[in-house]
Amino acid sequence: MHIVALGWMFVALLMGLVEATSPDGTLLGAAITLVLYGVLPVGLLLYVMNTPHRRRARRRAEAEAAAARSEAGDGSA
């Protein structure tokens, strides 16, 4: 999945470069192109695709915390 995001960012970077170097283009237009076609979509895609990993990590942390609480409760009683 990361290779797709990397490829898309490369394309968006080239689009911004063309926008900046064209006779009618501006640096502001290039920055807007880079953000709207590159950073925002790729960030959203990576966030959505990483959701199962975050969910597993949260459940693992909760299970470890519950195990630590139960061990602390068993040792002190």
Side-chain angles (χ1 to χ4, degrees), residues 22-74:
S22 71
D24 293 332
T26 63
L27 290 177
L28 179 62
I32 291 172
T33 298
L34 185 62
V35 169
L36 293 181
Y37 285 120
V39 175
L40 290 178
V42 169
L44 180 64
L45 176 73
L46 291 177
Y47 179 78
V48 168
M49 297 302 289
N50 200 26
T51 299
H53 176 67
R54 287 193 316 272
R55 186 177 299 134
R56 280 192 305 268
R58 186 181 67 235
R59 287 181 183 162
R60 187 179 316 120
E62 289 172 354
E64 290 173 0
R69 280 193 307 268
S70 68
E71 287 178 7
D74 291 341

